[in-house]
């Protein structure tokens, strides 16, 4: 590579005497896509005494740096010539416009190219080269996303290079966010062209952190399919606080620790203030996202959280805090005693009802015993009246029964 550079430098030195007669202006670097073409924007100046050569069939060519040492020698073959891109002059040399188009480019055409002006008995090659880079993939779009604010008109701009005049890309936005897309072609300062698409829309807080794509489509003849390139951006939308609300952690008992947390959807992040209203008087009680305190009667009231940023402020709904009359510990003791009473009462009632039944059974057994002994003395069923009750005796061959109240005894034989 160094040897080739030395040969280029030596050849240029041999024509140094005429370098000041003509000067060309073109970009230092140009990028192209394989399968497309490339415009080399070029302007030149020529000294007064050399302008006569503009009328003598002038020609502008671009010398490939890697083939420099082979030009004008017997070693330059058709194979080398095929390594050169096809060139087409599109500028008017009479107007000192030397713009050219390289056609049917491939990645093999990437190289340095030197400007050469030729006419009858006059030839000049410039020492400054243009670096041509040919890629198999399209260049990524360049996107400009300004600061977006809710409710204000926002503009997203996407720009892609248009190196080939016959292959102007189509540029759009997806999604369009309900806005309008405008596309135009512009001339850059170095003479190259590009295509831009502007998306004009009204941002909303729902667009915050939304992904939007700039899509570029090139109608290159590659297997019958166009080529696409895209660039994804994440939107940042500033908006005032929304959906401000309070969450509560802890219990509202005397002596308990209570924590109130304010939450709000805002960008940039909101600052928070706490206010308590009691007996018609409102006072500020905190200035952070979290408000913690010990429950007491003087802490009872209506609590409000205010979320605020540079775009506005929004209050939460009212949260009433009323301290209960006893402590939580005392409440637990009362609850435990009540629970014991609820469970013990059925047991006490059951035991109280069971004792008379056992007593009556014992009395019945005594009566049965008396009746059995009396049957040994009599084989006939006899009865007598004792007050308003009838007493029976039965013989051994009879069975006896009594009711549960012990009021009657009777026998079945």
């Amino acid at each position: 590579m160094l040897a080739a550079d030395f040969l280029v430098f030596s050849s240029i030195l041999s024509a140094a005497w005429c370098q000041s007669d003509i000067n060309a202006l073109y970009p230092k670097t140009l990028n192209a896509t394989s399968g497309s073409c490339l415009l080399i924007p070029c302007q030149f100046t020529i000294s007064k005494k050399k302008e006569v050569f503009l009328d003598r069939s002038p020609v502008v060519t671009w010398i490939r740096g890697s083939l420099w040492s082979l030009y004008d020698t017997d070693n330059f073959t058709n194979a080398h010539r095929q390594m050169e891109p096809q060139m087409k002059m599109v500028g008017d040399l009479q107007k000192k416009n030397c713009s050219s188009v390289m056609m049917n480019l491939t990645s093999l055409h990437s190289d340095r190219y030197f400007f050469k002006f030729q006419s009858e008995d006059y030839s000049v090659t410039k020492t400054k080269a243009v670096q041509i880079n040919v890629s198999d993939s399209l260049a990524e779009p360049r996107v400009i996303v300004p600061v977006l604010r809710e409710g204000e008109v926002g503009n997203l701009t996407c720009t892609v290079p248009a190196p080939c005049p016959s292959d102007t890309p189509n540029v759009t936005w997806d999604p369009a966010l309900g806005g309008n897309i405008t596309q135009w072609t512009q001339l850059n300062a170095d003479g190259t062209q590009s295509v831009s698409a502007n998306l004009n829309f009204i941002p909303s807080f729902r667009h915050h952190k939304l992904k939007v794509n700039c899509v570029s489509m090139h109608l290159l003849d590659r297997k019958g399919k166009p080529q696409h390139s895209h660039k994804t951006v994440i939107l940042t939308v500033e908006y005032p606080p929304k959906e401000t609300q309070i969450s509560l952690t802890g219990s509202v008992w005397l002596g308990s620790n209570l924590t109130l947390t304010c939450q709000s959807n805002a960008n940039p992040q909101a600052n928070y203030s706490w206010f308590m209203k009691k007996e018609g008087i409102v006072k500020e009680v905190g200035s952070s996202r979290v408000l913690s305190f010990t429950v007491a009667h003087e802490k009872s009231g209506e609590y409000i959280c205010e979320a605020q940023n540079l775009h506005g402020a929004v209050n939460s709904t009212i949260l009433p805090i009323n301290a209960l009359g006893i402590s939580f510990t005392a409440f637990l003791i009362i609850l435990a005693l009540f629970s014991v009473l609820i469970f013990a009462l059925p047991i006490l009632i059951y035991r109280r009802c069971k004792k008379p039944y056992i007593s009556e059974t014992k009395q019945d057994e005594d009566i049965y015993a008396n009746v059995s002994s009396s049957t040994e003395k009599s084989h006939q069923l006899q009865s007598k009246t004792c007050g308003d009750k009838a007493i029976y005796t039965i013989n051994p061959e009879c069975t006896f029964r009594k009711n549960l109240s012990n009021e009657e005894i009777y026998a079945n034989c």
Side-chain angles (χ1 to χ4, degrees):
M1 188 66 183
L2 291 175
D5 290 340
F6 179 76
L7 289 173
V8 172
F9 183 69
S10 300
S11 299
I12 293 172
L13 282 180
S14 63
W17 61 273
C18 62
Q19 291 299 306
S20 60
D21 293 330
I22 186 168
N23 291 296
L25 180 65
Y26 42 85
K28 293 182 179 180
T29 304
L30 291 173
N31 299 310
T33 304
S34 180
S36 184
C37 67
L38 173 66
L39 172 67
I40 304 177
C42 178
Q43 300 286 335
F44 71 93
T45 60
I46 191 169
S47 63
K48 290 289 186 180
K49 64 180 180 179
K50 298 296 181 181
E51 283 188 354
V52 64
F53 292 105
L54 294 178
D55 298 325
R56 297 179 181 179
S57 303
V59 176
V60 169
T61 58
W62 296 88
I63 305 301
R64 186 166 183 171
S66 60
L67 300 177
W68 186 281
S69 61
L70 301 176
Y71 285 110
D72 301 325
T73 68
D74 295 336
N75 294 327
F76 191 81
T77 64
N78 289 332
H80 294 121
R81 189 171 302 278
Q82 291 176 0
M83 295 174 60
E84 294 183 308
Q86 299 179 26
M87 301 295 300
K88 179 181 179 181
M89 177 62 61
V90 294
D92 187 350
L93 295 181
Q94 297 295 325
K95 297 180 180 179
K96 303 180 180 61
N97 185 335
C98 49
S99 297
S100 307
V101 174
M102 290 183 176
M103 298 176 292
N104 301 323
L105 291 172
T106 69
S107 58
L108 298 177
H109 291 132
S110 297
D111 206 336
R112 294 178 304 156
Y113 291 85
F114 296 86
F115 172 87
K116 184 176 182 180
F117 181 92
Q118 289 179 295
S119 183
E120 294 180 4
D121 302 324
Y122 182 68
S123 177
V124 176
T125 302
K126 299 303 294 182
T127 59
K128 184 185 73 172
V130 54
Q131 177 66 48
I132 304 294
N133 300 313
V134 184
S135 174
D136 290 330
S137 59
L138 295 174
E140 185 180 65
R142 181 171 54 90
V143 176
I144 299 176
V145 180
V147 176
L148 301 174
R149 295 182 177 86
E150 185 179 48
E152 299 181 7
V153 177
N155 291 282
L156 308 181
T157 303
C158 177
T159 303
V160 297
C164 180
S166 61
D167 178 31
T168 302
N170 181 46
V171 185
T172 188
W173 286 92
D174 182 38
L177 306 177
N180 298 317
I181 299 176
T182 305
Q183 178 178 294
W184 70 95
T185 301
Q186 60 189 17
L187 184 65
N188 302 318
D190 61 356
T192 60
Q193 291 183 341
S194 59
V195 177
S196 297
N198 181 74
L199 172 60
N200 181 281
F201 73 110
I202 304 297
S204 164
F205 77 97
R206 294 183 177 87
H207 294 144
H208 184 53
K209 294 184 178 181
L210 180 69
K211 292 183 179 180
V212 183
N213 297 296
C214 170
V215 182
S216 172
M217 183 178 68
H218 294 248
L219 299 176
L220 300 180
D221 187 15
R222 292 188 177 180
K223 298 180 182 180
K225 296 181 180 180
Q227 276 196 318
H228 295 82
S229 65
H230 77 281
K231 171 102 174 156
T232 300
V233 294
I234 300 176
L235 302 184
T236 299
V237 180
E238 295 185 354
Y239 53 91
K242 301 177 184 296
E243 304 170 356
T244 304
Q245 54 186 353
I246 302 174
S247 61
L248 183 148
T249 304
S251 56
V252 190
W253 297 91
L254 288 176
S256 299
N257 293 325
L258 191 64
T259 298
L260 305 182
T261 303
C262 190
Q263 298 175 335
S264 183
N265 179 14
N267 186 45
Q269 187 176 357
N271 297 317
Y272 299 96
S273 299
W274 290 92
F275 300 90
M276 185 186 73
K277 181 179 180 181
K278 187 173 185 179
E279 297 177 354
I281 300 175
V282 179
K283 65 177 181 179
E284 185 173 354
V285 293
S287 58
S288 63
R289 183 169 175 266
V290 177
L291 179 66
S292 299
F293 57 89
T294 300
V295 177
H297 289 296
E298 60 270 19
K299 298 292 186 178
S300 296
E302 296 178 342
Y303 284 79
I304 300 174
C305 167
E306 180 189 67
Q308 182 178 14
N309 64 9
L310 55 88
H311 299 296
V314 174
N315 290 340
S316 68
T317 56
I318 296 175
L319 177 66
I321 300 294
N322 297 313
L324 299 180
I326 61 174
S327 67
F328 186 64
T329 302
F331 171 76
L332 292 178
I333 294 174
I334 294 174
L335 181 62
L337 293 176
F338 181 75
S339 300
V340 171
L341 181 62
I342 291 298
F343 284 104
L345 184 61
I347 298 175
L348 295 175
I349 294 175
Y350 171 76
R351 289 182 176 180
R352 187 173 183 84
C353 293
K354 186 176 180 181
K355 288 181 179 180
Y357 175 76
I358 296 174
S359 177
E360 290 176 359
T361 303
K362 190 175 185 304
Q363 292 177 3
D364 293 344
E365 291 175 353
D366 294 339
I367 293 174
Y368 288 145
N370 293 335
V371 172
S372 299
S373 62
S374 64
T375 57
E376 295 178 356
K377 298 179 181 180
S378 176
H379 298 281
Q380 301 294 328
L381 178 63
Q382 297 180 352
S383 67
K384 65 179 181 178
T385 302
C386 179
D388 57 351
K389 298 181 179 179
I391 301 175
Y392 296 87
T393 61
I394 57 177
N395 59 36
E397 299 177 356
C398 300
T399 60
F400 60 91
R401 300 181 185 278
K402 75 177 186 71
N403 58 12
L404 294 177
S405 63
N406 296 325
E407 291 180 353
E408 294 181 352
I409 299 176
Y410 57 92
N412 295 326
C413 299

